[in-house]
């Protein structure tokens, strides 16, 4: 699965951008760059958020954007003149929409997806979620709910007064401002989460140094209930037996001289 993820990432980042704009939105370029620079993530699609005016086909039940005419689109705040100019070209059912930031991120492991989802929710994107495909692809979708969709014309005829359009522009611009604040919060939280995760991977348990060992109290001698004289007699008997045993042994103290030390790799396994 590790090799499959690396291959998916390479293919995705090398293919052409097939979106209508053909490039990453400026407002989220730093977020996309951060994720694509990580070993555990890469982005599959994104939009920084936009205000759009589309013209649908009358009496059509198909709501797909590719079957509509785009009268106006902006990834920043707009003004009433922009919308009025677009409405003047409408011949169908014009709809004003604000679509907030959306980001799809493929993750190496389920733990990585859970981290991404937690960052998204804590940044205000509470409609986020994750999916796992049959092929093992783990996708986290960063989404919000503060959208806007208002019909403005029917078969080319304007249904609302111009004052109401001014009001809608103010509402859409306020949502865009909040959207940009959430993006900035998401980027900051993502940086903090990734830094903390990296430090946790590199963290090595502390071991006491030689000075700390010297400062430790020596082990206490257990009271066996025997007198000091009895203990001395036992020690002298042990020394006599040990001296007799050494006369019959040859090279026993060197039995470990040729043994190999513990391999470094065995120790490193504890930290992988």
């Amino acid at each position: 699965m590790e090799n499959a993820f690396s291959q998916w990432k390479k293919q995705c980042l090398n293919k052409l951008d097939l979106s209508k704009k053909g490039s990453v939105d400026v407002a989220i370029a730093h977020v996309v760059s951060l994720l694509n620079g990580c070993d555990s993530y890469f982005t599959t699609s994104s939009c920084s958020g936009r205000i759009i005016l589309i013209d649908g086909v009358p009496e059509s039940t198909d709501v797909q954007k590719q079957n509509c005419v785009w009268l106006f689109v902006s990834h920043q705040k707009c003004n009433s003149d922009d919308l009025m100019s677009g409405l003047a070209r409408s011949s169908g059912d014009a709809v004003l929409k604000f679509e907030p930031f959306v980001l799809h991120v493929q993750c190496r492991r389920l733990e990585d997806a859970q981290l991404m989802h937690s960052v998204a929710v804590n940044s205000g994107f509470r409609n986020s979620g994750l999916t796992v495909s049959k092929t093992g692809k783990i996708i986290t979708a960063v989404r919000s709910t503060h959208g806007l969709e208002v019909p403005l014309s029917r078969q080319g005829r304007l249904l609302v007064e111009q004052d109401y359009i001014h009001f809608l522009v103010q509402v859409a611009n306020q949502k865009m401002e909040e959207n940009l604040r959430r993006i900035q919060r998401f980027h900051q939280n993502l940086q903090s989460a990734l830094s903390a995760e990296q430090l946790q991977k590199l963290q090595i348990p502390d071991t006491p140094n030689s000075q700390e060992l010297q400062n430790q109290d020596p082990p206490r001698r257990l009271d066996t209930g025997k007198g000091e004289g009895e203990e001395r007699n036992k020690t002298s008997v042990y020394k006599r037996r040990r001296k007799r045993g050494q006369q019959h042994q040859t090279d026993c103290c060197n039995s470990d001289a040729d043994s190999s030390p513990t391999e470094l790799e065995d120790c490193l396994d504890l930290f992988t």
Side-chain angles (χ1 to χ4, degrees):
M1 188 59 66
E2 294 289 329
N3 294 334
F5 178 85
S6 299
Q7 186 65 23
W8 290 331
K9 181 172 183 177
K10 181 179 180 180
Q11 292 175 353
C12 183
L13 297 184
N14 290 336
K15 71 179 181 181
L16 295 176
D17 191 334
L18 301 178
S19 64
K20 183 178 287 291
K21 184 179 179 182
S23 62
V24 177
D25 297 335
V26 176
I28 58 171
H30 58 306
V31 176
V32 173
S33 178
L34 174 63
L35 288 171
N36 289 337
C38 297
D39 294 335
S40 300
Y41 303 102
F42 67 92
T43 60
T44 59
S45 65
S46 64
C47 178
S48 64
R50 59 192 177 186
I51 300 172
I52 58 175
L53 181 65
I54 59 175
D55 203 21
V57 179
E59 307 298 336
S60 175
T61 58
D62 193 347
V63 295
Q64 298 297 324
K65 295 187 184 72
Q66 55 265 29
N67 295 326
C68 301
V69 178
W70 292 54
L71 300 174
F72 172 79
V73 57
S74 174
H75 292 84
Q76 300 175 348
K77 295 190 294 183
C78 66
N79 54 59
S80 300
D81 293 338
D82 295 328
L83 291 188
M84 295 305 299
S85 177
L87 287 170
R89 303 192 307 272
S90 173
S91 60
D93 298 344
V95 178
L96 173 67
K97 291 186 177 184
F98 169 75
E99 297 177 340
F101 168 67
V102 62
L103 179 70
H104 292 93
V105 184
Q106 186 163 338
C107 310
R108 183 182 294 273
R109 304 170 304 164
L110 186 59
E111 293 85 351
D112 301 321
Q114 292 172 333
L115 175 65
M116 183 65 55
H117 179 263
S118 177
V119 170
V121 172
N122 291 333
S123 301
F125 299 101
R126 303 189 181 279
N127 197 33
S128 301
L130 58 91
T131 58
V132 181
S133 69
K134 294 181 179 179
T135 58
K137 292 182 178 181
I138 306 172
I139 304 292
T140 299
V142 181
R143 298 172 302 210
S144 184
T145 58
H146 67 294
L148 177 69
E149 182 172 350
V150 182
L152 297 179
S153 70
R154 173 69 171 171
Q155 297 180 355
R157 184 175 64 87
L158 191 62
L159 300 176
V160 297
E161 299 292 335
Q162 190 168 353
D163 289 343
Y164 185 65
I165 294 178
H166 291 324
F167 169 72
L168 289 178
V169 169
Q170 293 177 0
V171 173
N173 287 338
Q174 290 173 357
K175 289 181 176 291
M176 178 62 78
E177 291 175 352
E178 173 61 24
N179 180 69
L180 295 176
R181 284 193 293 267
R182 294 187 186 186
I183 291 174
Q184 185 62 25
R185 193 183 309 138
F186 175 73
H187 180 251
Q188 294 174 350
N189 291 342
L190 183 61
Q191 283 182 314
S192 300
L194 293 177
S195 298
E197 184 187 37
Q198 188 66 21
L199 289 175
Q200 186 177 8
K201 289 180 180 179
L202 297 176
Q203 187 177 7
I204 299 176
D206 294 332
T207 56
N209 53 36
S210 57
Q211 185 63 33
E212 292 175 342
L213 293 176
Q214 292 176 3
N215 294 334
Q216 292 181 357
D217 295 332
R220 295 182 178 180
R221 178 179 176 182
L222 296 178
D223 185 7
T224 59
K226 299 178 180 179
E228 293 183 359
E230 185 177 356
E231 288 291 333
R232 284 197 298 269
N233 293 337
K234 183 177 180 180
T235 301
S236 61
V237 172
Y238 169 75
K239 288 183 178 179
R240 290 196 299 271
R241 290 178 179 177
R242 182 179 180 186
K243 184 175 181 181
R244 288 198 301 270
Q246 288 178 345
Q247 296 175 358
H248 301 286
Q249 293 177 354
T250 58
D251 297 333
C252 289
C253 293
N254 295 328
S255 61
D256 294 334
D258 296 331
S259 61
S260 60
T262 304
E263 293 296 331
L264 179 60
E265 289 79 0
D266 294 339
C267 297
L268 294 178
D269 287 340
L270 297 174
F271 304 100
T272 57

